[in-house]
Amino acid sequence: MGKELSLYIHIPFCLSKCSYCDFFSTVCNASVPSSYLQALKNEISDKIKRFDISFFTTLYIGGGTPSLLSKNQLKDLFDFLNPYISSCKEISMEVNPDDLNEDYISFLNTLPVTRLSCGIQSLNEESLSCVKRRAGLKENLNALELLHNKWNKDFSIDLICALPFESSQTFTDGLKKIFEYQPSHISLYSLTLEEGTRLFNEVNKGLIKIDNDFMDQLWLQSRALLKEQGYEQYEVSNFSKKGKESLHNLVYWNHLSYIGCGLSACGTLYNEDGSAKRFNNKNDLSNYINFYWQKYGEQSQDYELVEDWEEIDIETSVYEYFMMGFRKLSGISSKDFYNKFKITLPQKYIEVFKDWENKGLLVSEKNEDDIRFFLNSQGILFLNKFLEDLLF
């Protein structure tokens, strides 16, 4: 019997680029090229054979802008995936607010998608305009109405805290408005200035001002509001109603194997000793289509043309286990660590855990033959410092 893995599918096309975004994407005129979709299906087939995959446990279609896929393209993609996703625990798809209309939502309801993730980001028109969001306030509100009234399953909302021109009042009012639409999941991100993006350059030149202290204060204020509304923080930036956590993202945070397909997608395959092999698809669109579509079946297995591979040794994998595991409010488990690496938790790490526990920032809970370590709601705010301490 083959492996059971999670699958990420990347649709790297956007109609325009937001000024804060540093994810790889390519601007297209109106729709996703059919040649890309065919190449993508060929890559998925190829990796199913290469990695001996029986079926996928979770599926996430992200981007870019997956909602640029037409109804025919989505039907084609899911018809192709159907033999491998019948036992999926969760099938998520990202959608842009201004791509949604009643007809498109109605069609999405016919697909096996169980969860839509919509990038609202803000309900402040000036902020949306400043960062070149394709959807303005009107489109965002329309999307929320459609998701609440016409979409039959779960949906998640992405928000970015303290975009330019956002005030405490505007963001709080926007968050309270979003509560009215009852999303089952909300991701609350702090604005990150990534080098090379348009926004980074504008801030660097003094054209736009960002107040980091205000950002931190607003994020904490918003976290408190989310908790009041029954959204539990289960990861650094993610909040959900009970039982509505993102199962696909938990695959990453729980140090489990997954594959990514599509331009610039990546995957990690863990070995029995906890070490891993990781691949990153290159971001050359014409080369990708040439390899997986025009010459698929003819190439001499020369995957170096489209993939970069790296070996992740056990020491690096252990650190990644902590780096991802402590993002969760549930933290990490000594029993799970042993099962993954076949060794007990090294004493040098336990000493760091004890130090942070003495500071009142980490909690350890013993249950029979297992000990769970996790940063509390205050400690999670200092995750980066905690990870630095683990690197000594």
Side-chain angles (χ1 to χ4, degrees):
M1 187 175 180
K3 301 181 183 70
E4 303 170 7
L5 299 179
S6 288
L7 171 65
Y8 173 81
I9 291 176
H10 193 58
I11 308 297
F13 300 96
C14 293
L15 295 184
S16 60
K17 189 93 169 175
C18 302
S19 67
Y20 54 78
C21 181
D22 75 327
F23 290 117
F24 174 77
S25 64
T26 183
V27 175
C28 65
N29 292 327
S31 59
V32 176
S34 59
S35 57
Y36 179 79
L37 193 62
Q38 186 58 55
L40 176 66
K41 291 189 296 180
N42 287 345
E43 184 197 357
I44 295 170
S45 292
D46 184 70
K47 283 188 164 62
I48 286 172
K49 292 174 186 174
R50 284 167 65 192
F51 305 141
D52 187 28
I53 298 169
S54 293
F55 66 86
F56 297 112
T57 53
T58 65
L59 167 63
Y60 193 103
I61 306 175
T65 314
S67 50
L68 288 180
L69 289 165
S70 69
K71 290 189 287 185
N72 285 338
Q73 287 177 322
L74 278 169
K75 184 179 185 307
D76 180 41
L77 179 60
F78 276 100
D79 285 346
F80 164 77
L81 289 169
N82 189 55
Y84 310 104
I85 60 173
S86 58
S87 300
C88 253
K89 299 172 185 175
E90 176 187 87
I91 299 176
S92 294
M93 175 177 161
E94 293 178 356
V95 292
N96 262 38
D98 49 337
D99 291 330
L100 296 182
N101 54 54
E102 193 164 338
D103 180 58
Y104 197 68
I105 286 281
S106 178
F107 171 74
L108 291 177
N109 275 315
T110 69
L111 300 177
V113 175
T114 62
R115 182 177 178 274
L116 293 178
S117 179
C118 187
I120 295 295
Q121 315 309 0
S122 172
L123 289 183
N124 181 36
E125 187 74 76
E126 195 173 8
S127 298
L128 295 168
S129 176
C130 174
V131 296
K132 312 304 178 189
R133 287 291 293 168
R134 183 153 58 93
L137 175 59
K138 179 183 176 181
E139 290 79 11
N140 279 350
L141 291 174
N142 179 62
L144 288 166
E145 288 281 351
L146 288 168
L147 290 167
H148 178 63
N149 295 316
K150 301 298 181 180
W151 173 243
N152 297 333
K153 300 161 224 178
D154 291 323
F155 71 95
S156 175
I157 297 301
D158 286 359
L159 296 171
I160 300 179
C161 198
L163 287 172
F165 302 107
E166 196 85 77
S167 69
S168 178
Q169 188 68 51
T170 60
F171 194 76
T172 298
D173 288 347
L175 189 55
K176 289 178 179 177
K177 182 67 177 175
I178 285 168
F179 292 151
E180 296 176 13
Y181 298 98
Q182 302 175 334
S184 57
H185 186 284
I186 295 177
S187 297
L188 180 67
Y189 300 107
S190 293
L191 176 63
T192 303
L193 291 176
E194 301 289 355
E195 192 169 354
T197 61
R198 178 172 177 168
L199 184 59
F200 178 90
N201 294 331
E202 288 172 335
V203 171
N204 229 22
K205 293 175 182 176
L207 301 175
I208 294 175
K209 292 185 178 180
I210 297 293
D211 185 336
N212 290 320
D213 290 337
F214 168 69
M215 188 189 305
D216 293 342
Q217 178 188 357
L218 184 57
W219 192 92
L220 289 171
Q221 179 182 321
S222 301
R223 180 175 73 167
L225 283 173
L226 284 160
K227 187 172 183 179
E228 285 177 13
Q229 292 295 317
Y231 292 92
E232 288 298 319
Q233 183 182 16
Y234 70 99
E235 191 268 348
V236 171
S237 302
N238 287 276
F239 303 76
S240 75
K241 296 289 188 178
K242 188 174 182 180
K244 298 298 183 179
E245 299 87 354
S246 169
L247 299 182
H248 184 84
N249 286 338
L250 281 166
V251 167
Y252 307 142
W253 301 325
N254 286 330
H255 210 65
L256 300 173
S257 295
Y258 66 94
I259 65 166
C261 291
L263 206 64
S264 82
C266 65
T268 303
L269 302 169
Y270 291 101
N271 301 313
E272 288 188 6
D273 63 358
S275 64
K277 293 181 178 179
R278 178 169 297 149
F279 69 86
N280 290 273
N281 283 352
K282 297 178 181 180
N283 59 14
D284 185 324
L285 179 60
S286 60
N287 187 51
Y288 176 85
I289 290 175
N290 182 61
F291 187 88
Y292 278 118
W293 179 51
Q294 294 178 323
K295 293 187 177 180
Y296 181 65
E298 299 176 12
Q299 72 267 17
S300 58
Q301 308 300 313
D302 191 5
Y303 293 107
E304 289 183 2
L305 293 172
V306 287
E307 297 170 355
D308 290 318
W309 280 84
E310 62 177 319
E311 298 283 340
I312 308 297
D313 60 29
I314 293 177
E315 184 178 3
T316 302
S317 189
V318 165
Y319 182 73
E320 289 185 354
Y321 176 83
F322 293 140
M323 182 173 67
M324 301 306 285
F326 278 104
R327 291 183 64 90
K328 302 174 296 173
L329 270 290
S330 60
I332 62 108
S333 150
S334 63
K335 189 174 183 178
D336 181 62
F337 182 91
Y338 181 83
N339 289 338
K340 280 187 166 53
F341 298 103
K342 307 301 183 287
I343 57 173
T344 58
L345 274 167
Q347 188 62 33
K348 65 177 183 177
Y349 295 120
I350 291 177
E351 292 301 322
V352 176
F353 298 168
K354 286 180 179 178
D355 180 46
W356 277 66
E357 190 168 16
N358 290 335
K359 295 175 182 175
L361 299 173
L362 183 143
V363 178
S364 62
E365 290 182 351
K366 188 168 184 178
N367 182 22
E368 297 180 353
D369 60 342
D370 188 22
I371 306 176
R372 181 163 288 282
F373 301 92
F374 56 93
L375 296 170
N376 59 24
S377 59
Q378 183 67 17
I380 202 75
L381 302 176
F382 302 97
L383 174 63
N384 289 341
K385 177 63 173 70
F386 174 72
L387 294 173
E388 286 176 13
D389 286 359
L390 292 176
L391 274 174
F392 67 93

